[in-house]
Amino acid sequence: MDDKRSLMMNKNIGDFENKDEEMDLRRGPWTVEEDFKLINYISTHGEGRWNSLSRCAGLKRTGKSCRLRWLNYLRPDVRRGNITLEEQLLILELHSRWGNRWSKIAQYLPGRTDNEIKNYWRTRVQKHAKQLRCDVNSQQFKDTMRYLWMPRLIERIQASASTSTGSATTSSCVTTPSDQFLMTSFDDGLDNNNNNMDHLSFMSNPNGYVSPETSSVVVSPTSGLTEFHIGSEVGKVENNQDQSLVGPQIMSPPPQNYLDDNGGLLSEDLTQSYHNWFENVNGMIPPYSDSFWNIGSDEDFWLLLQQQQQLVNNGSSE
DNA sequence: AACGGACCCAACCGCAACTCG
DNA sequence: TCGAGTTGCGGTTGGGTCCGT
């Protein structure tokens, strides 16, 4: 433990930690023995009243620490492991509505803790904002989320669902409680007349420029295209040729050569191209506000940069 | 193999809200 | 109504691990 952290802890005079010295409270990582004590106590006495629980269980921890350990780690229904695509989609949609209200968002992801969701946001999403050299709260980044990464994520969900069912035309990605929430919340934009399409539609912020009544995102498993519906307008792009309907940005099938020769990151020039493209596109995007869309993975991020470079190239050659 | 930077996530903090005597 | 104790939330930190050089 470094000096700074020690200092912070020693000057901790709020709450109940001012008795740390005399009570010899432990801090830092939990031991297996401590975990057992906590689990055993809660299994027989239940949770709650964390300060007395800590004392009665023989733990030299604050009540806060016990509560945190139980809720974020030891609780039997805590889900561990990677955040699924559907969960990512849900997190980003809910964040667009509620902002950093992690506990509220966590309520819709069974087994996921607010801490985990918060960590996901800060490590994954903010990382990509940094790579784009823009603020995570900036309009530019929000629009990137909305028009580029979110549709890509939907495509990936669609693709994985198709793979898992073995059918490209009857697939559905609705398999989890999270998905059910998505569908029940956002299915107002379903196009029930088109049996060849699977649909996911999304609401946006309370200011609402994209609403269930006016918009939807449609992924066709047969064509591989992603369509965006806002009002009566439909944007669809094939081979990146149509840039006239950028209102919702349009995605194309991914190129196969988006990685460099080393399978690594693309060049600084390409990143700059993306910035240039975005400046061009920004003029055509309505001043939508705080809705966030997702990043599927680093691979997706650089894939999108490549795609946008193609858009820029196509646009400049016309 | 060694090193250093980047990343992940458990655990901490302060503060506000809530509960209860 | 008030105040002490408790709980819950969002922001932050830093140790451990991973990965590239």
Side-chain angles (χ1 to χ4, degrees), chain A residues 160-223:
Chain A
S160 62
S162 299
T163 301
S164 64
T165 60
S167 168
T169 55
T170 60
S171 63
S172 171
C173 62
V174 182
T175 57
T176 69
S178 303
D179 301 329
Q180 290 167 14
F181 173 83
L182 269 175
M183 293 304 286
T184 55
S185 298
F186 309 132
D187 63 359
D188 293 355
L190 286 175
D191 177 4
N192 293 319
N193 295 324
N194 188 343
N195 293 328
N196 291 328
M197 297 284 191
D198 281 350
H199 304 76
L200 285 174
S201 63
F202 299 91
M203 294 197 301
S204 180
N205 57 76
N207 300 329
Y209 84 91
V210 176
S211 70
E213 294 78 16
T214 60
S215 69
S216 63
V217 179
V218 181
V219 179
S220 166
T222 52
S223 67

Side-chain angles (χ1 to χ4, degrees), chain A residues 32-48:
Chain A
V32 175
E33 184 184 2
E34 286 177 313
D35 282 346
F36 269 122
K37 282 183 179 177
L38 186 55
I39 292 170
N40 285 335
Y41 190 88
I42 289 177
S43 67
T44 55
H45 298 89
E47 54 182 279

Side-chain angles (χ1 to χ4, degrees), chain A residues 56-209:
Chain A
C56 296
L59 289 161
K60 293 182 177 180
R61 294 275 183 172
T62 66
K64 265 187 166 183
S65 182
C66 292
R67 174 183 168 273
L68 202 66
R69 183 64 176 173
W70 174 253
L71 293 178
N72 285 349
Y73 198 85
L74 298 177
R75 210 165 28 118
D77 56 335
V78 168
R79 272 181 74 188
R80 314 204 69 78
N82 292 337
I83 304 281
T84 66
L85 294 174
E86 290 82 2
E87 286 173 323
Q88 293 176 39
L89 198 58
L90 188 53
I91 289 170
L92 293 160
E93 166 56 32
L94 295 178
H95 187 277
S96 74
R97 285 205 234 168
W98 299 322
N100 295 355
R101 299 182 64 184
W102 307 116
S103 62
K104 190 176 178 80
I105 293 172
Q107 291 172 2
Y108 292 90
L109 289 100
R112 299 295 186 183
T113 68
D114 55 350
N115 208 35
E116 192 170 14
I117 294 168
K118 182 170 55 182
N119 281 332
Y120 165 77
W121 185 266
R122 294 186 63 84
T123 57
R124 312 295 219 290
V125 179
Q126 293 195 354
K127 180 183 78 172
H128 287 281
K130 185 179 178 182
Q131 287 173 324
L132 280 174
R133 285 177 283 177
C134 62
D135 186 89
V136 73
N137 293 315
S138 69
Q139 190 58 51
Q140 177 180 348
F141 187 71
K142 291 173 184 177
D143 288 336
T144 304
M145 291 290 182
R146 181 191 301 278
Y147 299 120
L148 302 182
W149 290 330
M150 191 67 172
R152 180 59 185 152
L153 184 59
I154 294 168
E155 287 181 351
R156 292 183 68 201
I157 292 172
Q158 182 68 49
S160 62
S162 299
T163 301
S164 64
T165 60
S167 168
T169 55
T170 60
S171 63
S172 171
C173 62
V174 182
T175 57
T176 69
S178 303
D179 301 329
Q180 290 167 14
F181 173 83
L182 269 175
M183 293 304 286
T184 55
S185 298
F186 309 132
D187 63 359
D188 293 355
L190 286 175
D191 177 4
N192 293 319
N193 295 324
N194 188 343
N195 293 328
N196 291 328
M197 297 284 191
D198 281 350
H199 304 76
L200 285 174
S201 63
F202 299 91
M203 294 197 301
S204 180
N205 57 76
N207 300 329
Y209 84 91

